[in-house]
Amino acid sequence: MRHPHRFLLLLPLLSAGCQQRYPEDPLFGYSRAVNTDGSPIPGATITLERAPPAPLDPAGPGAPPTFSPYGTSTTQANGEFTFQVLWGDVEENRPDTYIQYRFRLALPLDANGQGTFLSFILNGDVELPALQPWDARLAVSDSPQGPTLTFAPAPPTPPLPPSGKLRFVYFHEQGSSAPQEVQVPTTTPEAIAHFFSGGLPMWRQSGVTSPWVPGPHLMEDFASPEVQLRALSLGEWIFSPVGGSWSATSFRQEWRTGRLALPAGASRPISRGAACQPSLSGECPWTDGQLTPVTISGTVEHGPPESLVITLAEPTHLRRAVIRGLHFESTLNGPERVRLEGSVDGQQWTPLAEAVVRTFEPQRMDLDLQSNAFANESSWDSPFQDERLAPPREALVFLDLPLQTQEPVRYVRLRAEPDYQPGRNLYLYSLAELSVFP
């Protein structure tokens, strides 16, 4: 169940000695606009945008917000700029919840499609990270192993301003009788590779480093693939000026490159066109090579299915499996694992591969900026029409798995289970494609 308070960071601060504010009271924010090489961008007009609160949906936000211009600011010779918002435009008290409006700053994309934006909430005067695009220098070259991507390291973590400090939380470590004060660090950006074919997501992989060869199974036989790099940092900064009120901001900074074309893939899976169970009318949508996410339908009596089985034309030794765009139930209570199993007769199953795809430590959730409400809602905020960078518990799963088959198999079963409760199957909600290769 979703917590009735949207953003938990600022609530304690608002009650921690803050003075009475009025709707017409001004708040100020400070940032800088700089080029990829760090040189300032003087005389640029920066537009501040604001988004209304998302509807209170128990299932969570499901669509990008509508940002509209709120004000503009002009950068100084050193690239610095200041913006002003009114307290009455920042927060709203409703009978059922406390709402904060999100704001957004962005630089226009350069000739290479590189850009960055900031999405944030605030409750007073704050400093924000600099708007500096990532000089990724993404390039594609040929190699004996296939197309090779080269690129610069991910942007550095936004530095904490001298006037700011990190949020801290208290919690009990296992075996400790006294609560520990722990700071919540700004998350470190890492390169995230996004592949597309026909405009649909084909692959996503975090933490890639240069040089990187995607590999023939990952590329499959998709036509006109493209690649893009992105990076993300989430932070919560607190400011406490002498003689002044507490203030704080939660921010999301994303960086992105443009898309580059890749050679078409040439590795056709043996599962192409295979039948599946549960089945829909006509061709199985999870082996058709179309990349369109399709709901895995269950029954009214039993709910969503707990496994998906594909049937090959004949028993085959399998070496590789690629899972694209899997969405399944999340328990938020420890590691969750995806399993592939094989069978000759559809009755006796043997392991083929497994992978832990989501790890949670409930006792440390307050330290995980990826899991808080602001990270969830702001994940829709890209002004560049990029796909959503969802929090880990909601992100679609992409896996490239080596398989271990002692005997040929005709049936391949996909399921997921929580580590803390082996044997319990998690519901499967949707999938784009499941491919296996001999």
Side-chain angles (χ1 to χ4, degrees):
M1 178 64 68
R2 194 176 179 191
H3 199 287
H5 295 308
R6 293 296 185 86
F7 306 126
L8 305 183
L9 163 64
L10 301 185
L11 292 176
L13 299 178
L14 289 172
S15 61
C18 290
Q19 64 186 12
Q20 175 67 40
R21 294 190 188 274
Y22 299 95
E24 65 275 14
D25 286 347
L27 309 178
F28 296 93
Y30 308 90
S31 183
R32 297 177 65 228
V34 295
N35 294 299
T36 55
D37 62 1
S39 60
I41 303 177
T45 299
I46 306 295
T47 299
L48 176 68
E49 300 174 287
R50 189 183 77 143
L56 285 173
D57 182 352
T66 301
F67 280 88
S68 57
Y70 181 86
T72 60
S73 183
T74 302
T75 60
Q76 302 175 26
N78 61 1
E80 294 181 355
F81 64 94
T82 303
F83 60 84
Q84 175 182 307
V85 300
L86 299 180
W87 176 246
D89 296 330
V90 165
E91 59 88 30
E92 180 179 344
N93 282 295
R94 296 180 178 178
D96 56 349
T97 189
Y98 171 80
I99 299 296
Q100 286 195 296
Y101 288 78
R102 294 200 307 283
F103 293 85
R104 185 172 70 186
L105 297 165
L107 292 179
L109 299 179
D110 64 17
N112 296 318
Q114 298 181 143
T116 186
F117 77 89
L118 281 165
S119 174
F120 58 95
I121 55 175
L122 74 166
N123 77 325
D125 297 347
V126 299
E127 294 185 59
L128 291 165
L131 288 172
Q132 180 177 5
W134 175 17
D135 187 15
R137 300 189 293 279
L138 175 62
V140 179
S141 60
D142 291 328
S143 73
Q145 293 77 33
T148 299
L149 307 182
T150 55
F151 48 91
T157 304
L160 184 67
S163 60
K165 60 182 179 181
L166 297 173
R167 180 172 71 93
F168 61 87
V169 297
Y170 289 99
F171 67 91
H172 286 270
E173 290 278 12
Q174 289 187 352
S176 173
S177 59
Q180 305 292 315
E181 179 181 307
V182 179
Q183 290 184 327
V184 181
T186 304
T187 65
T188 301
E190 59 180 10
I192 309 170
H194 292 251
F195 289 76
F196 304 88
S197 179
L200 292 172
M202 170 181 143
W203 187 255
R204 184 186 306 151
Q205 186 165 332
S206 299
V208 295
T209 56
S210 180
W212 184 54
V213 180
H217 300 103
L218 189 154
M219 302 302 297
E220 208 160 308
D221 59 350
F222 296 114
S224 306
E226 297 177 301
V227 64
Q228 174 191 38
L229 296 182
R230 296 171 69 184
L232 162 70
S233 182
L234 295 161
E236 296 182 348
W237 293 348
I238 298 173
F239 303 90
S240 51
V242 176
S245 300
W246 286 83
S247 61
T249 181
S250 291
F251 67 84
R252 176 190 199 91
Q253 183 162 21
E254 287 189 22
W255 300 263
R256 58 101 73 183
T257 72
R259 296 185 184 183
L260 289 185
L262 292 167
S267 183
R268 186 178 179 86
I270 196 172
S271 54
R272 182 61 52 78
C276 58
Q277 182 64 39
S279 61
L280 302 177
S281 59
E283 187 180 34
C284 176
W286 305 293
T287 60
D288 60 3
Q290 298 302 308
L291 292 175
T292 303
V294 177
T295 299
I296 306 175
S297 300
T299 64
V300 175
E301 295 82 7
H302 302 289
E306 298 177 350
S307 65
L308 173 69
V309 178
I310 63 173
T311 305
L312 305 178
E314 58 184 13
T316 306
H317 279 286
L318 301 176
R319 294 186 301 164
R320 204 85 184 179
V322 179
I323 300 169
R324 304 179 194 269
L326 173 64
H327 177 43
F328 65 91
E329 175 188 6
S330 178
T331 65
L332 294 181
N333 194 25
E336 296 163 352
R337 189 179 301 267
V338 170
R339 295 187 183 275
L340 285 175
E341 298 159 313
S343 174
V344 175
D345 57 8
Q347 302 296 320
Q348 301 296 320
W349 297 91
T350 59
L352 297 179
E354 63 178 58
V356 173
V357 296
R358 295 192 290 231
T359 302
F360 299 101
E361 296 182 65
Q363 72 275 16
R364 300 180 68 90
M365 289 286 280
D366 283 342
L367 288 173
D368 185 7
L369 294 182
Q370 295 274 9
S371 298
N372 68 23
F374 172 76
N376 186 11
E377 297 197 358
S378 66
S379 63
W380 299 94
D381 287 355
S382 173
F384 310 126
Q385 287 73 57
D386 290 324
E387 65 172 344
R388 180 188 183 211
L389 285 182
R393 68 176 181 273
E394 297 183 24
L396 300 180
V397 173
F398 293 79
L399 291 173
D400 180 13
L401 299 171
L403 303 181
Q404 300 176 350
T405 54
Q406 302 298 323
E407 302 291 338
V409 299
R410 189 179 179 202
Y411 301 90
V412 177
R413 181 168 69 179
L414 167 67
R415 62 186 185 90
E417 67 178 30
D419 266 17
Y420 69 91
Q421 196 174 358
R424 174 195 168 187
N425 290 330
L426 299 172
Y427 291 136
L428 305 182
Y429 294 141
S430 64
L431 178 68
E433 199 76 3
L434 171 58
S435 303
V436 293
F437 301 83

